[in-house]
Amino acid sequence: MRPPPTEFDRQYTEQRQYIDLARTYLEKEGFARMQRVLVKDVERGKVSREDAAGAVRYALLAVVERVAARVGYTRYVDLMKDPELTDALRFAMEDISERHRIEAPAAREQLRQSTFQTTLRHWHLVVHEQRGRQRYEITEPLARRLLKETPGTVPCDGLRLPTDSLVLVVPAEAGLTGRLPEGGTAPITEIYAVESPSPQGAGAYWFLWMCMREPSGASAYSLVNVALAPGATLEQAIAFSRNEGGPGQDPGWEDCCRLLAGAARYLSEGGLTRQEWYDESARELHEKLAAIPKAQKQEREKLRERLHAVSPGRRIILDDTPSP
């Protein structure tokens, strides 16, 4: 049975028609012109108002998608230095400032921060899509145990995710909580993680996007980047990111980072897992791909393209309870 939708499903899979339209207009018109052209096409009846609004909403994601394909999907620092993206961000912020008459320095800074957060969340969606939508889930008892037993002295040098992009789905009962924008807290139930090479050439970064679901059904989130410096411990990495983020950040991310580190170590040490398939087409393609020799590159690439359309079709559950 297909598992409940994730935040990725809601923000990417279910919005595919708008993302496709944003890609088309970006390719034809460029980022600076696409919104004006969409408005004209709505007036001419070529595009519905709803589709145009959706395309505008995902215009920046389409730019991120194109730049990431060029510089490397997991290379966030290179992405943010790319001229196409920096030009798009500059245009977007100036356009919003002009339309909404945002002139005060504090308001412009708030807009800048909001735009960069949107870019980072779009990047998470793009990487998760392009790197195979790796879905891991962890049981409540194991999550609680790893939170309790993962020491801060774990060396960062040995902390590596099983794949460079994944979502770890966590039961609400595991006790991870995040702060809501209007106050109060809500369970953190999804941790999106991208392992990115350090621009200094040693160590790595974990880019984390923690997702919460408010009682009203609306989503909330917290973003943090954790530097896994060579020779540092997990606790030192957390302390460094805490200091860099300042007092305004949501402290709930620290337990998420500890859980992710514990899960990474659990998997690297051969911890018990079980694989559940909910899409037989994906399962058959996985098996066919595994059987084709690596030398047959063209055939393997064809299967990868087909698999991409249904991926992942499975979830990997971390569960240290032996099967009966």
Side-chain angles (χ1 to χ4, degrees), residues 6-16 19 58 61 121-122 125 209 211 213 219-221:
T6 60
E7 197 63 24
F8 170 82
D9 296 323
R10 296 184 186 95
Q11 293 198 30
Y12 197 103
T13 307
E14 294 174 10
Q15 310 300 321
R16 188 175 297 277
I19 296 171
Y58 288 99
L61 183 145
R121 285 188 292 124
H122 282 341
L125 293 173
W209 172 22
C211 299
R213 184 64 50 178
S219 62
Y221 67 89

Side-chain angles (χ1 to χ4, degrees), residues 116 284 311:
F116 281 126
E284 290 173 9
S311 178

Side-chain angles (χ1 to χ4, degrees), residues 46-323:
K46 292 183 177 180
V47 181
S48 72
R49 192 174 298 276
E50 180 185 353
D51 285 349
V56 170
R57 191 164 64 248
Y58 288 99
L60 193 55
L61 183 145
V63 178
V64 170
E65 196 174 54
R66 190 159 75 177
V67 174
R70 185 165 62 244
V71 303
Y73 287 106
T74 64
R75 296 182 176 275
Y76 181 73
V77 173
D78 294 329
L79 176 95
M80 295 303 291
K81 290 179 179 178
D82 187 89
E84 182 179 1
L85 183 60
T86 56
D87 287 348
L89 291 173
R90 189 180 303 111
F91 176 85
M93 286 186 281
E94 289 302 322
D95 181 61
I96 294 171
S97 296
E98 183 178 335
R99 285 189 289 108
H100 296 277
R101 298 182 180 179
I102 299 174
E103 298 175 357
R108 289 180 70 89
E109 176 59 21
Q110 186 176 12
L111 172 63
R112 190 181 75 86
Q113 292 293 337
S114 174
T115 304
F116 281 126
Q117 287 193 346
T118 298
T119 304
L120 183 53
R121 285 188 292 124
H122 282 341
W123 176 69
H124 270 281
L125 293 173
V126 168
V127 178
H128 193 65
E129 163 71 2
Q130 296 298 328
R131 305 303 287 178
R133 304 182 213 164
Q134 302 295 326
R135 178 174 178 145
Y136 288 75
E137 300 184 18
I138 188 167
T139 61
E140 177 199 344
L142 180 57
R144 289 187 181 277
R145 182 168 74 78
L146 293 180
L147 281 168
K148 183 179 179 181
E149 297 179 4
T150 302
T153 54
V154 171
C156 290
D157 296 315
L159 287 178
R160 291 297 178 266
L161 300 178
T163 178
D164 57 20
S165 172
L166 59 84
V167 58
L168 182 65
V169 180
V170 184
E173 297 78 13
L176 297 178
T177 58
R179 189 167 57 214
L180 296 173
E182 292 78 22
T185 61
I188 294 173
T189 55
E190 295 171 27
I191 307 170
Y192 290 84
V194 179
E195 190 168 282
S196 182
S198 170
Q200 290 78 28
Y205 274 86
W206 277 356
F207 290 85
L208 308 182
W209 172 22
M210 285 73 65
C211 299
M212 297 161 269
R213 184 64 50 178
E214 298 186 40
S216 64
S219 62
Y221 67 89
S222 180
L223 294 162
V224 70
N225 310 329
V226 184
L228 304 177
T233 64
L234 173 63
E235 194 56 50
Q236 288 170 335
I238 290 174
F240 178 80
S241 295
R242 184 192 307 129
N243 293 336
E244 288 289 300
Q249 63 187 334
D250 186 343
W253 72 266
E254 296 182 20
D255 279 341
C256 290
C257 189
R258 290 187 182 94
L259 178 60
L260 193 65
R265 194 168 70 148
Y266 175 86
L267 289 166
S268 69
E269 293 175 353
L272 292 174
T273 63
R274 67 178 188 272
Q275 185 170 262
E276 291 188 358
W277 289 91
Y278 54 86
D279 190 308
E280 283 303 313
S281 298
R283 182 173 190 165
E284 290 173 9
L285 289 170
H286 269 282
E287 291 172 351
K288 286 181 181 178
L289 184 60
I292 296 176
K294 292 184 178 180
Q296 297 180 20
K297 294 182 180 180
Q298 189 172 2
E299 187 63 28
R300 288 177 64 85
E301 191 57 36
K302 287 180 182 178
L303 274 179
R304 281 198 190 95
E305 289 177 4
R306 290 172 59 194
L307 183 58
H308 189 73
V310 296
S311 178
R314 63 177 176 177
R315 51 183 177 172
I316 298 171
I317 302 174
L318 284 63
D319 184 0
D320 62 349
T321 305
S323 301

